[in-house]
Amino acid sequence: MYAEPLSTSRLDLVPLLPEHAVEMAAVLSDPALHTFIGGTPLDRQALRARYERLVAGSPDPAVSWCNWVLRLRAEDRLIGTVQATVDTPAAQASVAWVVGTPWQGHGYAAEAARGLVDWLSRQPSIGTVVAHIHPAHLASAAVARAAGLQPTEEEYDGETRWRLRR
């Protein structure tokens, strides 16, 4: 499975390329974005190397890495990312999202996550969509809920597993 261009009312979800690292390094530069996921912002070179690995794909042929950058059409600029790790044998996609700090609070993450989950729901090989969210990350929980996922009682690495079954 491969990322393909997607559109929502305000966003274009553009399949990730290493060249996006130049603009995305600035979008993802706020250390506050790492409060719940850990780590620190990557510089352009490190982000490009990461994007090159992601674009190369999973070493496991049964797993697909689908990654998009979010282009806000009104400003013609990148504002974040969404991703899906698709495990074909498990018929499951694990999703995640991040929107740069200046664009948070405008519904872009929810819009992008809904677009991603809608696309995944049209893929015949996917029966379940999951996300792992820190219990204190209320904004991310709201995004998951807007995309149709529901919290479960399951935990994974201290995060709550959210799920949507087709």
Side-chain angles (χ1 to χ4, degrees), residues 79-112:
I79 63 165
T81 64
V82 292
Q83 64 186 53
T85 300
V86 179
D87 181 337
T88 303
Q92 177 173 288
S94 297
V95 298
W97 46 82
V98 63
V99 169
T101 306
W103 301 278
Q104 292 179 4
H106 301 282
Y108 298 129
E111 183 176 325

Side-chain angles (χ1 to χ4, degrees), residues 16-25 28 42 44-57 67-69 78 80-81 98:
L16 179 73
L17 295 172
E19 296 77 32
H20 292 132
V22 173
E23 189 173 351
M24 287 303 299
L28 303 175
L42 299 177
R44 286 182 191 178
Q45 291 87 357
L47 192 58
R48 183 181 178 94
R50 176 174 168 69
Y51 286 179
E52 286 171 350
R53 287 190 303 276
L54 291 173
V55 169
N67 296 275
W68 293 262
V69 291
L78 300 181
T81 64
V98 63

Side-chain angles (χ1 to χ4, degrees), residues 2 9 29 41 59 93 100 105 135:
Y2 299 96
S9 63
S29 66

Side-chain angles (χ1 to χ4, degrees), residues 52-65:
E52 286 171 350
R53 287 190 303 276
L54 291 173
V55 169
S58 170
D60 182 345
V63 174
S64 298
W65 294 342

